[in-house]
Amino acid sequence: MRDIAVDILDLTKKYGTFTALRNVSLDIRDNEFFTLLGPSGCGKTTLLRCIAGFEDVTTGAIRLYGEDIADLPPNKRPVNTVFQNYALFPHMNVTQNIMFGLLRLGQSDAQARARVGEVLEMVQLTEFATRLPAQLSGGQQQRVALARALAPNPKVLLLDEPLSALDLKLRQAVRLELQQLQRETGITFVFVTHDQEEALTMSDRIAVIAEGHVQQVGNARDIYQAPVNRFVADFIGETNLIDVEVRDVSGGMATCDLPGGAAFTCPAAAGAKAGKGHLSVRPERMTFAKAGAALLSGTVARHVFLGTDMQVDVRLSDDELLTVRVQNSEDSHIPEPGAAIGLNFEAGAARLLVD
Amino acid sequence: MARKIDLRRFPGFLPMTYLCLFLLYAPLIIVMIYSFNESQSITNWGGFSLRWYGEVFWGVESEKFKAAAIHSFIIAITAATCSTCIATLAATAMLRAGRFRGKGISFALINLPLMVPEIVTAVATLIFFSAIGFTTGILTILLSHIVFCIPFAYLPIAARMQGIEEVYEQAAQDLYATRFQAFKLILLPLMMPGIISGFLLAFIISLDDFIITNFVKGAGIETLPTAIFGSVKQGIKPNIMAISTLLLLVSVVFVTLSWLVGRMGQNRK
């Protein structure tokens, strides 16, 4: 197993009576693209600022490659940050901005300039070396911020929603570049975002955070396919939450009654109990079947055209609305609104959640 | 949104405006015009001349005015420099040190000289100096000027600093700068337009001051405003108008500069 780059041990951060982070424990591995994902106000940025040193921790420890850094000021921590709005120094040109950290580390002017050349090449901005930040586009500013943070070769690079100020097309291009940059430099990236698509496409591992607490840590596939609780299932991608009556949970499998009475056995999240529960099934894992000969039955409420996909909303007899996604193609059979229809899904596609 | 009240539609708005402008500027304009008067009279126009300007620089009273002008400039430059430094540090403490005990009181104290009638400050300062046995002279003028110039320097500096996001200093610290380096290399250059603006304002306030200066100055020492006052007591001569016009010119130039520098910095952001 790889070394642990950042080890967060039972960290709690309070502002007066408000608890921003509650008993957070995480281990971020060496050379990993690690994402902190959560809705705004969940504490993910606070956690990043704790690692950077802009916030004191109330209790708990932060270790960087084994060394406790919780009491060090930001300038003594070998980590660098890409800020949300980049925070490029407006009175310095691109070269001076990037040199700033190198000079503070005691490098000579010549050394620092050589390094600036390297990182500018890495982010493909060599010809902009003497521009002021105000003379650059948003995307270029973002790259300068990245170059400035990478220049001192930090042990860990912290990125605070660096793509949120860019437009959609650019954001998609930059995602791939960021991922590539991480592979090339071998630096551990800790990336904060509220955008689940960003998290799923770029990260080696993701920590889903809500209300100051880590909900689940895992790779994109784990988190998408095996969410531990209702929040994660709902926040990551789209999902159908079906009300079920759980009869029995044993050995990680649950037996439950679906609406309409059909019995069904599927994997259960740790901590699921008998009684009322929710079954999560992704819209793309549902298939149509003949009415009456399926696990669930209902009527088609409406179609929503999504480009590559068609979303079909199906209303069950108990008035619950489920969504099904089918690919738009010649041979996919899509039932018309008003039609009575049955819905099937495999045991592996469903998961009993903890509320 | 509340409906905007258009002042211009109030009855009598226009005549009132012209009356105010007239009362404010007519005396100044008359002084300026009559400073170019050929005749000795201050009421009758005798033709255009630069005679009284010559009188200011080479006339009987020129030595007195020159000495006073030198005092005034030395005091204004020193007082503006000192009060700008103090105001910069005060603004840093007020806006960057987080919450601390007595912050509200500190803010009130910094700005108090703006509220207290100048005559009160003048009397109090004089009493204070004589109580501690301080000999009046250029030093007493200088000390009192430094004190009352602080709020004037503070206002543009604090306004500027408020517009600078703290994230720049955090970025500097993230890039291995100490807190002092972050202040010196990032915050100070970004604040410079505010600091220059504050300096110029303090300079002109000090240069123009009469009341406090008149109270705390020693017997043998005059600044330009007190020298002019002394001269006026013996009757108004046109050379006073010339010197007033010159002083007005200096004021206008400095206030404009202060305003322009403040604005320039904003545009660059």
Side-chain angles (χ1 to χ4, degrees):
Chain A
M1 190 167 142
R2 283 184 288 189
D3 280 351
I4 292 172
V6 186
D7 198 2
I8 294 160
L9 298 162
D10 203 25
L11 187 144
T12 296
K13 168 73 190 170
K14 288 182 183 165
Y15 297 100
T17 56
F18 173 71
T19 306
L21 293 168
R22 180 166 44 90
N23 306 108
V24 171
S25 290
L26 278 178
D27 51 328
I28 298 165
R29 294 171 198 151
D30 185 35
N31 195 8
E32 182 173 46
F33 198 123
F34 192 89
T35 298
L36 303 173
L37 173 67
S40 53
C42 72
K44 56 192 191 303
T45 295
T46 306
L47 182 56
L48 197 79
R49 292 173 61 84
C50 284
I51 302 173
F54 301 130
E55 306 282 351
D56 310 324
V57 305
T58 310
T59 58
I62 302 173
R63 293 209 187 110
L64 191 75
Y65 290 94
E67 186 201 356
D68 192 346
I69 57 164
D71 294 325
L72 293 178
N75 56 318
K76 293 271 162 56
R77 299 184 187 200
V79 298
N80 288 130
T81 309
V82 178
F83 291 87
Q84 189 166 14
N85 292 312
Y86 318 135
L88 298 176
F89 307 131
H91 59 302
M92 295 185 184
N93 68 25
V94 169
T95 304
Q96 289 165 328
N97 260 285
I98 300 173
M99 277 174 80
F100 188 90
L102 302 171
L103 295 179
R104 303 286 86 69
L105 285 172
Q107 291 195 6
S108 71
D109 197 72
Q111 274 177 311
R113 277 182 195 280
R115 179 69 181 146
V116 170
E118 277 173 39
V119 291
L120 277 182
E121 202 160 313
M122 209 147 71
V123 298
Q124 295 149 27
L125 279 179
T126 312
E127 62 269 46
F128 296 95
T130 55
R131 294 263 191 108
L132 282 174
Q135 299 166 319
L136 298 173
S137 73
Q140 289 164 342
Q141 288 182 18
Q142 192 261 343
R143 283 152 186 251
V144 175
L146 198 61
R148 183 176 74 173
L150 282 172
N153 242 323
K155 287 187 172 167
V156 174
L157 185 74
L158 308 173
L159 301 106
D160 187 5
E161 307 217 17
L163 310 185
S164 59
L166 306 178
D167 57 50
L168 184 68
K169 275 267 188 271
L170 196 55
R171 206 152 57 204
Q172 286 169 342
V174 174
R175 270 185 213 164
L176 295 175
E177 280 176 39
L178 265 184
Q179 204 176 19
Q180 208 176 353
L181 214 53
Q182 196 271 325
R183 301 267 181 279
E184 278 168 21
T185 57
I187 292 172
T188 308
F189 277 31
V190 181
F191 184 89
V192 162
T193 185
H194 64 269
D195 182 331
Q196 41 116 353
E197 201 180 314
E198 241 167 63
L200 293 177
T201 50
M202 292 197 291
S203 325
D204 292 320
R205 286 193 310 151
I206 299 166
V208 182
I209 300 176
E211 289 167 355
H213 201 68
V214 176
Q215 307 290 321
Q216 185 169 7
V217 182
N219 64 33
R221 198 169 277 272
D222 285 347
I223 284 184
Y224 187 77
Q225 291 180 347
V228 291
N229 59 28
R230 193 175 162 175
F231 174 82
V232 176
D234 213 17
F235 188 71
I236 311 292
E238 258 185 284
T239 199
N240 290 301
L241 293 171
I242 305 165
D243 294 324
V244 292
E245 191 67 39
V246 184
R247 271 195 254 155
D248 177 46
V249 181
S250 66
M253 297 299 276
T255 311
C256 46
D257 292 332
L258 294 174
F264 188 70
T265 305
C266 69
K273 294 187 295 285
K276 290 214 176 296
H278 286 95
L279 211 59
S280 160
V281 184
R282 300 286 178 190
E284 70 275 12
R285 301 293 290 268
M286 297 253 201
T287 52
F288 292 116
K290 253 199 201 121
L295 289 170
L296 297 168
S297 53
T299 49
V300 177
R302 60 166 186 166
H303 289 173
V304 182
F305 180 71
L306 299 173
T308 53
D309 288 351
M310 179 70 91
Q311 177 186 323
V312 181
D313 291 351
V314 175
R315 194 175 297 282
L316 301 186
S317 47
D318 63 350
D319 224 33
E320 227 180 313
L321 201 63
L322 300 184
T323 62
V324 183
R325 260 185 196 224
V326 260
Q327 248 182 13
N328 265 325
S329 72
E330 296 277 320
D331 40 79
S332 57
H333 170 72
I334 299 169
E336 290 305 313
I341 196 79
L343 291 174
N344 272 334
F345 44 88
E346 284 164 25
R351 192 172 167 82
L352 181 69
L353 299 178
V354 180
D355 275 355
Chain B
M1 211 177 117
R3 208 155 18 118
K4 233 180 175 173
I5 297 166
D6 191 355
L7 274 176
R8 280 173 299 182
R9 292 172 63 183
F10 279 25
F13 174 79
L14 214 60
M16 201 47 139
T17 309
Y18 286 127
L19 183 70
C20 288
L21 286 176
F22 178 79
L23 287 176
L24 274 172
Y25 291 105
L28 288 179
I29 291 164
I30 288 167
V31 165
M32 277 164 68
I33 291 169
Y34 274 86
S35 71
F36 297 105
N37 193 358
E38 166 67 39
S39 93
Q40 175 87 33
S41 160
I42 55 159
T43 45
N44 298 321
W45 183 251
F48 179 84
S49 130
L50 290 175
R51 177 180 158 196
W52 301 110
Y53 287 89
E55 182 78 18
V56 167
F57 289 100
W58 299 286
V60 216
E61 287 184 303
S62 67
E63 284 309 312
K64 190 178 97 182
F65 282 134
K66 252 182 227 166
I70 290 167
H71 285 150
S72 269
F73 277 93
I74 290 172
I75 290 166
I77 288 168
T78 320
T81 308
C82 294
S83 58
T84 306
C85 290
I86 295 169
T88 305
L89 297 178
T92 310
M94 293 301 291
L95 298 170
R96 284 300 195 265
R99 289 149 68 101
F100 56 88
R101 268 183 66 185
K103 189 169 177 173
I105 292 172
S106 305
F107 184 75
L109 262 175
I110 291 169
N111 290 300
L112 200 62
L114 294 176
M115 262 79 85
V116 176
E118 211 184 332
I119 186 73
V120 175
T121 313
V123 172
T125 312
L126 181 62
I127 292 171
F128 173 71
F129 280 137
S130 60
I132 61 167
F134 215 80
T135 357
T136 50
I138 196 159
L139 201 60
T140 48
I141 303 178
L142 192 57
L143 284 173
S144 48
H145 278 218
I146 290 171
V147 172
F148 78 73
C149 282
I150 289 172
F152 294 96
Y154 178 83
L155 290 178
I157 293 172
R160 174 76 192 167
M161 197 188 256
Q162 238 150 13
I164 301 170
E165 285 176 75
E166 249 173 290
V167 72
Y168 294 121
E169 290 141 84
Q170 287 178 352
Q173 282 182 269
D174 188 61
L175 292 162
Y176 313 107
T178 59
R179 289 190 73 151
F180 179 69
Q181 286 171 327
F183 174 76
K184 195 181 79 174
L185 299 169
I186 304 300
L187 189 58
L188 211 51
L190 291 177
M191 272 167 59
M192 215 23 108
I195 292 174
I196 293 171
S197 180
F199 175 86
L200 295 174
L201 207 57
F203 176 86
I204 213 67
I205 293 292
S206 164
L207 194 69
D208 282 352
D209 181 71
F210 173 75
I211 301 177
I212 292 176
T213 313
N214 201 37
F215 270 74
V216 300
K217 77 185 174 69
I221 194 157
E222 299 287 350
T223 65
L224 216 39
T226 62
I228 292 170
F229 183 69
S231 191
V232 166
K233 275 196 291 194
Q234 290 143 32
I236 301 173
K237 276 172 292 168
N239 66 335
I240 296 299
M241 295 193 180
I243 207 165
S244 300
T245 307
L246 288 174
L247 205 51
L248 183 68
L249 188 71
V250 173
S251 292
V252 169
V253 166
F254 272 80
V255 171
T256 312
L257 268 181
S258 162
W259 183 75
L260 282 178
V261 169
R263 232 173 64 121
M264 189 181 71
Q266 303 248 285
N267 285 352
R268 228 183 67 184
K269 252 191 85 196

